Amino acid sequence: MNVGMKKHIEDFYQRAKDKELVSKASLFLSWMKKNGRKIGNKLSWLNPKNYISILDWYIIKKFIGTYIFSIVLIISIAIVFDFNENLSKFTQYHAPMRAIIFDFYANFIPYYSNLFSPLFVFIAVIFFTSKLASNSEIISMLAAGVSFNRIMRPYMLSCVLIACVTYYLNSSVIPHGTVIRQNFETLYRNSKKNTSAENVQLKVAKNTVAYIQHYDNQYKRGYGFSLDRFENKKLIDHMTATEIQYDTVADSKYHWKATNWKIRKLKGLKEHITSGSEMDTVILMEPTDLVYSKGQQETFTSSELLDYISKQSSRGSGNVVQYEVEYHKRIAMSFSSFILTIIGLSLSSRKRKGGMGMYLGIGLALSFGYIMLQTVSSTFAINADTPPILAAWIPNIIFAIIAFFCYRQAPN
């Protein structure tokens, strides 16, 4: 078969395929023309307009707008005061302007915005709901047959958005920013950071215990190292090294270099000794396992917290309470917006003489009470053997009871 005939056959098949595709497309379009409306009616439940009315959008926009405005206002004031207070230190330690803006304040804003998110939610609800009530808009809604529960719906939808953003920031974004901010404070604000540890002993694997006399986290180096492996409660392997160095450029974790090492293998009454000047080895421990600095749990993402808690618990370490509290607190804090919104809406939905000053005062008191209770409950878990999950949820439990009584007293 010559080349021209082969090309002619290929063109013929291609035209046939194109005609077939056009035919199928026309059949599909005609079918969609007949049945498209039926399909649209069946999928109408996916349309958000069926669930969110003009009233809902009105309240959601007011809520989110006031929430963002309160964050911008209060955090801006906080930045001005903080910068004024630390200006002398920034000048003394020659902090570059780029580091001040992008390393410190760019991470200062999300950290404190999230920390005081309950305060901002409460202020937003009290502020714009009191304004709605003073303009008789709440009364008009109730008079039109809209129930208090129906008015509450857009508030709860707004809380879903705020809770999701709060949890995402807490679990993924803020921990990385906290590391950068703490490093800046160490360099330019003379904030002392724990960089060493003495007499550290930890279980690195099943029946294997490591000991380091002194560890310097700045150079990732330990001195006076020993590693003991047991079998049936008997020592069978004893390794010592005058110095160990963590390999920070290795492709995987747990790589250490031992200097002036010696290994004693015990078999009954016999002993086999090997030694050397340097040896690369794998030991299931990391620098984060050896040195604990204040607030270290805040620098871990939620997934890293779970991994760390699981790893330390398997080693038999009891120094994981603050990490467990931090993990559960991030989840509990996301739900605080729902509780405080119910309280704020219940308190400010009635039209009273005197304006909103009293409600703002109550809102500030309750919000600061919630934040203070979070700190106190964390201390209960660390120092009083309170279960971490209970300690993290104590503020929500107490304020949920307050929210229930406020809701019962809300206008019908």
Side-chain angles (χ1 to χ4, degrees):
M1 185 182 293
N2 58 33
V3 177
M5 182 63 72
K6 186 176 181 181
K7 186 177 180 182
H8 180 72
I9 293 172
E10 288 177 352
D11 291 342
F12 175 78
Y13 277 113
Q14 186 62 41
R15 287 195 299 271
K17 287 182 179 178
D18 292 342
K19 287 181 180 180
E20 185 180 357
L21 289 173
V22 171
S23 176
K24 288 181 178 179
S26 62
L27 288 173
F28 176 74
L29 289 173
S30 62
W31 182 84
M32 283 296 297
K33 191 175 181 181
K34 293 179 181 178
N35 301 286
R37 184 171 295 178
K38 293 180 181 178
I39 296 172
N41 292 334
K42 290 181 180 179
L43 297 178
S44 60
W45 60 274
L46 294 174
N47 190 350
K49 291 183 179 179
N50 295 332
Y51 304 97
I52 304 178
S53 64
I54 296 176
L55 173 64
D56 296 326
W57 281 119
Y58 176 72
I59 293 177
I60 289 172
K61 289 177 182 177
K62 288 281 187 180
F63 191 166
I64 300 300
T66 310
Y67 175 73
I68 295 174
F69 175 78
S70 62
I71 290 177
V72 172
L73 179 64
I74 296 175
I75 293 298
S76 298
I77 296 171
I79 289 174
V80 170
F81 278 99
D82 186 84
F83 182 78
N84 185 58
E85 181 182 350
N86 293 289
L87 182 59
S88 59
K89 288 186 178 180
F90 292 156
T91 306
Q92 178 184 352
Y93 292 100
H94 307 289
M97 185 58 66
R98 186 181 183 280
I100 294 173
I101 295 173
F102 294 103
D103 291 348
F104 185 68
Y105 285 111
N107 296 300
F108 175 97
I109 292 170
Y111 177 81
Y112 285 99
S113 297
N114 220 42
L115 178 64
F116 294 105
S117 181
L119 171 64
F120 300 137
V121 168
F122 214 123
I123 289 176
V125 173
I126 292 286
F127 186 82
F128 88 88
T129 306
S130 297
K131 193 171 181 180
L132 292 178
S134 63
N135 293 335
S136 301
E137 293 180 71
I138 298 290
I139 296 174
S140 301
M141 295 176 194
L142 296 173
V146 180
S147 66
F148 185 75
N149 291 338
R150 178 62 184 84
I151 295 174
M152 193 182 294
R153 184 204 287 180
Y155 286 85
M156 295 297 103
L157 291 174
S158 302
C159 288
V160 170
L161 177 61
I162 293 172
C164 291
V165 172
T166 299
Y167 180 74
Y168 175 72
L169 290 175
N170 259 333
S171 61
S172 300
V173 178
I174 291 176
H176 295 298
T178 301
V179 175
I180 299 172
R181 184 169 54 83
Q182 288 180 352
N183 291 336
F184 176 91
E185 290 176 346
T186 302
L187 288 172
Y188 303 114
R189 290 180 61 177
N190 196 26
S191 178
K192 293 183 179 180
K193 190 176 181 180
N194 188 19
T195 59
S196 64
E198 304 288 339
N199 299 319
V200 180
Q201 182 174 338
L202 72 157
K203 186 178 180 182
V204 296
K206 187 178 181 181
N207 301 325
T208 304
V209 178
Y211 171 80
I212 300 178
Q213 186 176 3
H214 174 78
Y215 177 75
D216 188 344
N217 193 50
Q218 185 176 358
Y219 299 100
K220 304 292 188 290
R221 186 178 299 160
Y223 304 91
F225 174 76
S226 68
L227 186 70
D228 297 325
R229 188 160 64 91
F230 298 87
E231 190 175 282
N232 297 325
K233 297 183 179 180
K234 293 183 180 180
L235 180 65
I236 62 169
D237 200 320
H238 177 68
M239 173 186 174
T240 58
T242 56
E243 181 182 308
I244 59 167
Q245 175 73 51
Y246 186 69
D247 191 349
T248 57
V249 297
D251 295 333
S252 57
K253 298 187 293 185
Y254 311 128
H255 285 267
W256 295 83
K257 179 181 284 187
T259 304
N260 297 327
W261 59 272
K262 181 186 291 184
I263 298 177
R264 300 169 57 196
K265 292 186 179 292
L266 305 174
K267 294 183 179 179
L269 298 177
K270 295 182 179 181
E271 178 178 55
H272 179 69
I273 300 177
T274 56
S275 61
S277 58
E278 286 188 353
M279 178 180 64
D280 292 326
T281 183
V282 174
I283 306 171
L284 299 181
M285 64 181 185
E286 296 179 90
T288 54
D289 301 329
L290 304 174
V291 177
Y292 172 77
S293 57
K294 186 179 179 181
Q296 179 175 299
Q297 66 274 14
E298 296 178 359
T299 63
F300 290 178
T301 63
S302 292
S303 58
E304 290 171 345
L305 278 174
L306 280 178
D307 292 340
Y308 184 86
I309 292 167
S310 176
K311 183 173 65 176
Q312 294 297 92
S313 298
S314 65
R315 291 173 173 174
S317 173
N319 189 28
V320 294
V321 176
Q322 58 267 39
Y323 295 89
E324 292 177 326
V325 171
E326 177 67 21
Y327 177 77
H328 293 296
K329 187 171 74 174
R330 292 177 182 180
I331 301 173
M333 190 175 180
S334 302
F335 285 89
S336 65
S337 57
F338 295 95
I339 298 170
L340 295 176
T341 296
I342 293 173
I343 297 175
L345 176 60
S346 302
L347 289 175
S348 58
S349 57
R350 288 187 178 182
K351 185 177 181 179
R352 292 187 176 94
K353 294 181 180 180
M356 65 181 74
M358 182 182 70
Y359 300 117
L360 283 175
I362 295 173
L364 288 171
L366 288 173
S367 300
F368 281 117
Y370 179 87
I371 295 168
M372 185 184 68
L373 194 57
Q374 275 187 325
T375 305
V376 173
S377 63
S378 300
T379 306
F380 287 160
I382 297 170
N383 298 325
D385 295 330
T386 305
I389 188 170
L390 178 61
W393 281 87
I394 281 176
N396 281 3
I397 294 171
I398 294 175
F399 275 76
I401 296 171
I402 297 173
F404 175 76
F405 283 104
C406 290
Y407 172 76
R408 290 292 297 270
Q409 298 300 319
N412 295 319

PDB file of all heavy atoms in Angstrom, residues 379-396:
ATOM      1  N   THR A 379      -3.349  25.270  83.383  1.00  0.00           N
ATOM      2  CA  THR A 379      -2.525  25.059  84.573  1.00  0.00           C
ATOM      3  C   THR A 379      -3.051  23.887  85.394  1.00  0.00           C
ATOM      4  O   THR A 379      -2.268  23.118  85.973  1.00  0.00           O
ATOM      5  CB  THR A 379      -2.501  26.337  85.429  1.00  0.00           C
ATOM      6  OG1 THR A 379      -2.083  27.438  84.619  1.00  0.00           O
ATOM      7  CG2 THR A 379      -1.548  26.185  86.601  1.00  0.00           C
ATOM      8  N   PHE A 380      -4.378  23.735  85.451  1.00  0.00           N
ATOM      9  CA  PHE A 380      -4.964  22.598  86.159  1.00  0.00           C
ATOM     10  C   PHE A 380      -4.454  21.283  85.587  1.00  0.00           C
ATOM     11  O   PHE A 380      -4.127  20.342  86.324  1.00  0.00           O
ATOM     12  CB  PHE A 380      -6.489  22.630  86.059  1.00  0.00           C
ATOM     13  CG  PHE A 380      -7.136  23.694  86.906  1.00  0.00           C
ATOM     14  CD1 PHE A 380      -8.420  24.133  86.627  1.00  0.00           C
ATOM     15  CD2 PHE A 380      -6.461  24.253  87.976  1.00  0.00           C
ATOM     16  CE1 PHE A 380      -9.023  25.117  87.403  1.00  0.00           C
ATOM     17  CE2 PHE A 380      -7.051  25.238  88.761  1.00  0.00           C
ATOM     18  CZ  PHE A 380      -8.328  25.676  88.466  1.00  0.00           C
ATOM     19  N   ALA A 381      -4.384  21.189  84.275  1.00  0.00           N
ATOM     20  CA  ALA A 381      -3.961  19.944  83.631  1.00  0.00           C
ATOM     21  C   ALA A 381      -2.491  19.661  83.898  1.00  0.00           C
ATOM     22  O   ALA A 381      -2.098  18.516  84.122  1.00  0.00           O
ATOM     23  CB  ALA A 381      -4.216  20.013  82.130  1.00  0.00           C
ATOM     24  N   ILE A 382      -1.661  20.711  83.874  1.00  0.00           N
ATOM     25  CA  ILE A 382      -0.223  20.506  84.028  1.00  0.00           C
ATOM     26  C   ILE A 382       0.161  20.242  85.471  1.00  0.00           C
ATOM     27  O   ILE A 382       1.001  19.386  85.763  1.00  0.00           O
ATOM     28  CB  ILE A 382       0.534  21.750  83.486  1.00  0.00           C
ATOM     29  CG1 ILE A 382       0.265  21.894  81.977  1.00  0.00           C
ATOM     30  CG2 ILE A 382       2.027  21.635  83.751  1.00  0.00           C
ATOM     31  CD1 ILE A 382       0.763  23.193  81.404  1.00  0.00           C
ATOM     32  N   ASN A 383      -0.477  20.955  86.425  1.00  0.00           N
ATOM     33  CA  ASN A 383      -0.052  20.877  87.829  1.00  0.00           C
ATOM     34  C   ASN A 383      -1.004  20.110  88.734  1.00  0.00           C
ATOM     35  O   ASN A 383      -0.627  19.770  89.862  1.00  0.00           O
ATOM     36  CB  ASN A 383       0.114  22.296  88.395  1.00  0.00           C
ATOM     37  CG  ASN A 383       1.184  23.088  87.657  1.00  0.00           C
ATOM     38  OD1 ASN A 383       2.185  22.524  87.221  1.00  0.00           O
ATOM     39  ND2 ASN A 383       0.973  24.382  87.503  1.00  0.00           N
ATOM     40  N   ALA A 384      -2.235  19.848  88.283  1.00  0.00           N
ATOM     41  CA  ALA A 384      -3.211  19.208  89.161  1.00  0.00           C
ATOM     42  C   ALA A 384      -3.755  17.904  88.590  1.00  0.00           C
ATOM     43  O   ALA A 384      -4.791  17.406  89.056  1.00  0.00           O
ATOM     44  CB  ALA A 384      -4.365  20.165  89.439  1.00  0.00           C
ATOM     45  N   ASP A 385      -3.077  17.343  87.608  1.00  0.00           N
ATOM     46  CA  ASP A 385      -3.449  16.039  87.022  1.00  0.00           C
ATOM     47  C   ASP A 385      -4.870  16.005  86.479  1.00  0.00           C
ATOM     48  O   ASP A 385      -5.518  14.952  86.475  1.00  0.00           O
ATOM     49  CB  ASP A 385      -3.268  14.922  88.069  1.00  0.00           C
ATOM     50  CG  ASP A 385      -1.809  14.749  88.462  1.00  0.00           C
ATOM     51  OD1 ASP A 385      -0.945  15.015  87.605  1.00  0.00           O
ATOM     52  OD2 ASP A 385      -1.542  14.350  89.611  1.00  0.00           O
ATOM     53  N   THR A 386      -5.367  17.146  86.023  1.00  0.00           N
ATOM     54  CA  THR A 386      -6.670  17.169  85.353  1.00  0.00           C
ATOM     55  C   THR A 386      -6.506  16.608  83.941  1.00  0.00           C
ATOM     56  O   THR A 386      -5.526  16.921  83.267  1.00  0.00           O
ATOM     57  CB  THR A 386      -7.212  18.602  85.271  1.00  0.00           C
ATOM     58  OG1 THR A 386      -7.252  19.159  86.586  1.00  0.00           O
ATOM     59  CG2 THR A 386      -8.612  18.629  84.664  1.00  0.00           C
ATOM     60  N   PRO A 387      -7.428  15.747  83.459  1.00  0.00           N
ATOM     61  CA  PRO A 387      -7.324  15.240  82.087  1.00  0.00           C
ATOM     62  C   PRO A 387      -7.215  16.384  81.094  1.00  0.00           C
ATOM     63  O   PRO A 387      -7.983  17.356  81.167  1.00  0.00           O
ATOM     64  CB  PRO A 387      -8.626  14.452  81.906  1.00  0.00           C
ATOM     65  CG  PRO A 387      -9.022  14.050  83.281  1.00  0.00           C
ATOM     66  CD  PRO A 387      -8.575  15.178  84.170  1.00  0.00           C
ATOM     67  N   PRO A 388      -6.264  16.324  80.150  1.00  0.00           N
ATOM     68  CA  PRO A 388      -6.046  17.447  79.216  1.00  0.00           C
ATOM     69  C   PRO A 388      -7.284  17.848  78.432  1.00  0.00           C
ATOM     70  O   PRO A 388      -7.549  19.040  78.252  1.00  0.00           O
ATOM     71  CB  PRO A 388      -4.948  16.914  78.287  1.00  0.00           C
ATOM     72  CG  PRO A 388      -4.218  15.907  79.104  1.00  0.00           C
ATOM     73  CD  PRO A 388      -5.251  15.271  79.969  1.00  0.00           C
ATOM     74  N   ILE A 389      -8.057  16.869  77.963  1.00  0.00           N
ATOM     75  CA  ILE A 389      -9.246  17.203  77.168  1.00  0.00           C
ATOM     76  C   ILE A 389     -10.273  17.942  78.020  1.00  0.00           C
ATOM     77  O   ILE A 389     -10.935  18.871  77.541  1.00  0.00           O
ATOM     78  CB  ILE A 389      -9.848  15.929  76.532  1.00  0.00           C
ATOM     79  CG1 ILE A 389     -10.958  16.323  75.556  1.00  0.00           C
ATOM     80  CG2 ILE A 389     -10.363  14.953  77.586  1.00  0.00           C
ATOM     81  CD1 ILE A 389     -11.440  15.163  74.718  1.00  0.00           C
ATOM     82  N   LEU A 390     -10.398  17.553  79.302  1.00  0.00           N
ATOM     83  CA  LEU A 390     -11.327  18.251  80.199  1.00  0.00           C
ATOM     84  C   LEU A 390     -10.836  19.655  80.492  1.00  0.00           C
ATOM     85  O   LEU A 390     -11.621  20.616  80.495  1.00  0.00           O
ATOM     86  CB  LEU A 390     -11.483  17.461  81.498  1.00  0.00           C
ATOM     87  CG  LEU A 390     -12.387  18.096  82.566  1.00  0.00           C
ATOM     88  CD1 LEU A 390     -13.809  18.257  82.044  1.00  0.00           C
ATOM     89  CD2 LEU A 390     -12.378  17.264  83.849  1.00  0.00           C
ATOM     90  N   ALA A 391      -9.526  19.802  80.718  1.00  0.00           N
ATOM     91  CA  ALA A 391      -8.962  21.121  80.998  1.00  0.00           C
ATOM     92  C   ALA A 391      -9.175  22.073  79.825  1.00  0.00           C
ATOM     93  O   ALA A 391      -9.456  23.258  80.013  1.00  0.00           O
ATOM     94  CB  ALA A 391      -7.478  21.003  81.312  1.00  0.00           C
ATOM     95  N   ALA A 392      -9.037  21.553  78.603  1.00  0.00           N
ATOM     96  CA  ALA A 392      -9.214  22.397  77.420  1.00  0.00           C
ATOM     97  C   ALA A 392     -10.664  22.804  77.220  1.00  0.00           C
ATOM     98  O   ALA A 392     -10.945  23.894  76.699  1.00  0.00           O
ATOM     99  CB  ALA A 392      -8.699  21.667  76.180  1.00  0.00           C
ATOM    100  N   TRP A 393     -11.600  21.938  77.646  1.00  0.00           N
ATOM    101  CA  TRP A 393     -13.020  22.211  77.405  1.00  0.00           C
ATOM    102  C   TRP A 393     -13.730  22.832  78.602  1.00  0.00           C
ATOM    103  O   TRP A 393     -14.918  23.161  78.498  1.00  0.00           O
ATOM    104  CB  TRP A 393     -13.736  20.919  77.004  1.00  0.00           C
ATOM    105  CG  TRP A 393     -13.500  20.559  75.569  1.00  0.00           C
ATOM    106  CD1 TRP A 393     -12.465  19.838  75.058  1.00  0.00           C
ATOM    107  CD2 TRP A 393     -14.306  20.941  74.447  1.00  0.00           C
ATOM    108  NE1 TRP A 393     -12.577  19.726  73.698  1.00  0.00           N
ATOM    109  CE2 TRP A 393     -13.696  20.399  73.296  1.00  0.00           C
ATOM    110  CE3 TRP A 393     -15.479  21.679  74.300  1.00  0.00           C
ATOM    111  CZ2 TRP A 393     -14.226  20.576  72.017  1.00  0.00           C
ATOM    112  CZ3 TRP A 393     -16.004  21.862  73.028  1.00  0.00           C
ATOM    113  CH2 TRP A 393     -15.383  21.309  71.909  1.00  0.00           C
ATOM    114  N   ILE A 394     -13.060  23.016  79.732  1.00  0.00           N
ATOM    115  CA  ILE A 394     -13.700  23.625  80.910  1.00  0.00           C
ATOM    116  C   ILE A 394     -14.285  25.006  80.592  1.00  0.00           C
ATOM    117  O   ILE A 394     -15.439  25.290  80.950  1.00  0.00           O
ATOM    118  CB  ILE A 394     -12.705  23.690  82.097  1.00  0.00           C
ATOM    119  CG1 ILE A 394     -12.596  22.323  82.766  1.00  0.00           C
ATOM    120  CG2 ILE A 394     -13.155  24.726  83.129  1.00  0.00           C
ATOM    121  CD1 ILE A 394     -11.565  22.267  83.878  1.00  0.00           C
ATOM    122  N   PRO A 395     -13.546  25.919  79.929  1.00  0.00           N
ATOM    123  CA  PRO A 395     -14.153  27.226  79.611  1.00  0.00           C
ATOM    124  C   PRO A 395     -15.419  27.101  78.768  1.00  0.00           C
ATOM    125  O   PRO A 395     -16.407  27.809  79.017  1.00  0.00           O
ATOM    126  CB  PRO A 395     -13.037  27.946  78.835  1.00  0.00           C
ATOM    127  CG  PRO A 395     -11.785  27.279  79.263  1.00  0.00           C
ATOM    128  CD  PRO A 395     -12.141  25.855  79.492  1.00  0.00           C
ATOM    129  N   ASN A 396     -15.390  26.209  77.771  1.00  0.00           N
ATOM    130  CA  ASN A 396     -16.577  26.036  76.928  1.00  0.00           C
ATOM    131  C   ASN A 396     -17.750  25.467  77.707  1.00  0.00           C
ATOM    132  O   ASN A 396     -18.904  25.863  77.490  1.00  0.00           O
ATOM    133  CB  ASN A 396     -16.246  25.101  75.754  1.00  0.00           C
ATOM    134  CG  ASN A 396     -15.488  25.813  74.645  1.00  0.00           C
ATOM    135  OD1 ASN A 396     -15.163  26.981  74.776  1.00  0.00           O
ATOM    136  ND2 ASN A 396     -15.201  25.109  73.579  1.00  0.00           N
TER     137      ASN A 396
END
